[in-house]
Amino acid sequence: MIHSTHRFHGRSSLRFVYQKGSTARGELPLAMRYAVNPRSQTWRVAVVVSRKVSKAAVVRNRIRRRIFEIVRKDASRLKPPIDIVFTAYDPAIAEMDHATLERAVLQQLERAGVLERQRAGANHDIVNQEETIA
């Protein structure tokens, strides 16, 4: 789960993103609204899953946790100060394989310009450091 400083608190924050933000969509039934927030020092993320998507809170929370985890893993690449709101429209997101969901979320973030592109070889930094030590 992401830290509380990176989550929204209160409805007025969401209202700001809905009124001032731009929308990015992908191939999944998942929309993303984002807005630069000059009053904030860091990035914030919210995931909205309506009761229309699923009556079961378990399913709605699973969708939230999965999207929060994807954002948390790539949080170092987010460009602050940005507010992001993901809105899910289909309960199939809860059962979707992780790689497909991660690719779609990261693609939306990159398309919106709020995520820095991953540099070549970034996944191998730890291995390269260990090899030079040994």
Side-chain angles (χ1 to χ4, degrees):
M1 187 57 89
I2 62 174
H3 194 269
S4 64
T5 58
H6 298 296
R7 284 184 267 159
F8 281 81
H9 302 286
R11 291 192 176 196
S12 62
S13 299
L14 285 174
R15 190 176 309 129
F16 170 77
V17 177
Y18 284 133
Q19 289 175 350
K20 306 283 185 190
S22 302
T23 303
R25 284 186 163 266
E27 66 268 2
L28 294 181
L30 182 69
M32 182 185 84
R33 288 192 66 91
Y34 59 97
V36 175
N37 188 353
R39 295 182 351 177
S40 178
Q41 299 296 321
T42 185
W43 53 270
R44 296 186 303 174
V45 176
V47 179
V48 177
V49 185
S50 170
R51 230 166 146 194
K52 291 179 183 179
V53 172
S54 176
K55 299 291 183 206
V58 173
V59 175
R60 296 193 310 268
N61 290 335
R62 181 177 296 138
I63 292 169
R64 283 188 194 98
R65 284 193 312 268
R66 293 184 78 196
I67 294 172
F68 275 134
E69 179 62 17
I70 291 168
V71 172
R72 187 194 63 81
K73 281 188 351 187
D74 289 307
S76 62
R77 295 172 49 203
L78 285 172
K79 299 176 186 176
I82 193 87
D83 288 348
I84 303 168
V85 178
F86 286 98
T87 306
Y89 295 106
D90 192 357
I93 294 174
E95 303 301 325
M96 187 177 298
D97 65 301
H98 182 74
T100 304
L101 181 61
E102 183 176 27
R103 191 176 330 109
V105 169
L106 294 178
Q107 187 178 47
Q108 282 182 335
L109 289 169
E110 284 179 355
R111 193 176 295 154
V114 298
L115 190 69
E116 296 173 355
R117 292 199 180 272
Q118 192 171 8
R119 66 187 207 287
N123 294 337
H124 305 291
D125 286 345
I126 296 171
V127 175
N128 293 338
Q129 289 173 357
E130 290 175 0
E131 289 175 357
T132 57
I133 294 172

